[in-house]
Amino acid sequence: MCSLGIVGLGLIGGSLAKSARKHGYDKIYGFDIDNSVVEYATLCGIIDAPLNNEKLSECDVVMISLYPDATVEYVSEHRNMFKKDALVIDCAGVKRSVCTPCFEISEKCGFHFVGGHPMAGTQYSGIKNSKDTMFHNACFVLVPRHMEDVNVISKARETVISLGFSRVSVMTPERHDELIAFTSQLAHVVSNAYVKSPSALSHKGISAGSYKDLTRVAYLNEDMWTQLFMDNRDNLMNEIKRIIDSLSEYYNALENSDSDALKNLLREGKEAKEACEK
């Protein structure tokens, strides 16, 4: 089994390390800007040793679990320290702002960078909330550079499967950011805005699963999500505009006491959900 370096030991990075251990990796190195996290991970056996520059040059695979800007900064600063032909995969939630500079750096410096995004997580953060089962039944999105060697893509696919992911999707940075604006980012915006209603303060005793489901991701890391939203603001603005227009139709039907229009809108939403499930 190849040696694995993990940069960023938060929820995702910590889960990658635990899953790697569970699935048989025997050399796992980790880095975090908070040295106490690295010490904790080492003492608990989550990693074998800290990921320093010497260990980095030995790693066959490096997984980077940092914010987008920090990912680009780390790759740039360590460009000459990666092992020749090493596979470097990031886990940031947007891809264009990460992949464009990192593809260029890797091509010049002799390692392989493949963008990535694990479709897993919780509303909680930190290594203490990480789990070795985090990626069970989860999909990992791979975002290779244009005309990437098929063997590199194959190795990246095998790597994420070996870390516990069940499925792999492959797409361009542009397509990833377009889709993630709807599937993840808009959901966080809606949840965060929804819970700001004054009614939320008195909901106890008159709420059930729908409230819980809709508000789960309102509890977020505002620093990380601000960067993700701003890096993908064109796509996210399009999705916000669409939902504003759609909500206006419901509002207008109610304002006009138009039961037929409201019924049609509800039917259309139900049918749209059914179509998504096919």
Side-chain angles (χ1 to χ4, degrees):
M1 186 68 72
C2 67
S3 56
L4 173 68
I6 299 175
V7 181
L9 293 172
L11 177 70
I12 297 300
S15 295
L16 286 170
K18 290 179 179 180
S19 188
R21 179 74 71 207
K22 179 179 179 180
H23 289 89
Y25 280 76
D26 56 0
K27 293 182 180 179
I28 306 169
Y29 307 114
F31 168 82
D32 195 273
I33 194 170
D34 185 344
N35 193 55
S36 67
V37 172
V38 178
E39 292 174 351
Y40 171 85
T42 306
L43 287 171
C44 293
I46 299 172
I47 61 174
D48 294 305
L51 179 66
N52 54 28
N53 292 343
E54 181 182 353
K55 295 297 184 185
L56 182 64
S57 67
E58 299 174 5
C59 289
D60 303 295
V61 176
V62 179
M63 303 290 294
I64 303 178
S65 183
L66 301 173
Y67 292 4
D69 288 356
T71 297
V72 175
E73 182 179 348
Y74 184 90
V75 171
S76 179
E77 290 181 354
H78 296 81
R79 63 175 67 202
N80 296 317
M81 301 174 196
F82 294 110
K83 183 178 182 179
K84 181 176 173 54
D85 290 326
L87 175 63
V88 180
I89 303 175
D90 88 293
C91 297
V94 290
K95 295 274 72 83
R96 290 174 299 173
S97 62
V98 172
C99 288
T100 299
C102 290
F103 286 158
E104 182 178 351
I105 292 169
S106 63
E107 194 169 10
K108 290 179 179 178
C109 297
F111 62 93
H112 305 290
F113 182 89
V114 177
H117 191 176
M119 297 290 98
T122 73
Q123 66 269 43
Y124 305 110
S125 61
I127 193 169
K128 292 186 178 180
N129 290 305
S130 62
K131 301 177 181 178
D132 63 8
T133 58
M134 180 71 71
F135 311 123
H136 180 65
N137 287 331
C139 178
F140 195 98
V141 181
L142 290 175
V143 184
R145 67 183 175 88
H146 182 61
M147 300 297 288
E148 179 61 274
D149 186 332
V150 67
N151 292 319
V152 173
I153 300 174
S154 179
K155 181 180 178 181
R157 184 189 298 271
E158 291 170 1
T159 295
V160 296
I161 292 296
S162 75
L163 289 169
F165 289 88
S166 301
R167 304 180 310 282
V168 177
S169 297
V170 181
M171 61 188 68
T172 66
E174 293 75 19
R175 184 58 173 161
H176 170 276
D177 286 0
E178 179 183 355
L179 290 175
I180 210 67
F182 172 73
T183 61
S184 177
Q185 294 184 346
L186 180 64
H188 282 77
V189 169
V190 170
S191 179
N192 196 264
Y194 170 81
V195 80
K196 291 176 183 177
S197 168
S199 300
L201 297 175
S202 55
H203 78 277
K204 292 182 179 179
I206 192 167
S207 64
S210 54
Y211 172 85
K212 183 177 180 180
D213 291 345
L214 187 52
T215 60
R216 180 181 68 82
V217 293
Y219 188 84
L220 47 69
N221 178 332
E222 64 271 20
D223 292 327
M224 180 183 76
W225 285 100
T226 295
Q227 187 173 143
L228 293 175
F229 290 167
M230 294 303 291
D231 279 356
N232 199 31
R233 60 187 178 274
D234 54 345
N235 289 313
L236 182 55
M237 287 168 62
N238 287 338
E239 292 296 343
I240 292 175
K241 181 63 166 61
R242 288 189 185 115
I243 199 168
I244 289 173
D245 292 343
S246 183
L247 286 172
S248 295
E249 294 180 350
Y250 291 83
Y251 182 91
N252 291 336
L254 291 166
E255 184 179 41
N256 297 324
S257 298
D258 191 339
S259 297
D260 290 338
L262 181 59
K263 185 175 181 179
N264 286 335
L265 288 169
L266 294 172
R267 181 187 300 111
E268 289 169 1
K270 181 180 71 174
E271 291 173 350
K273 174 62 175 175
E274 290 172 348
C276 292
E277 298 301 316
K278 291 181 179 179

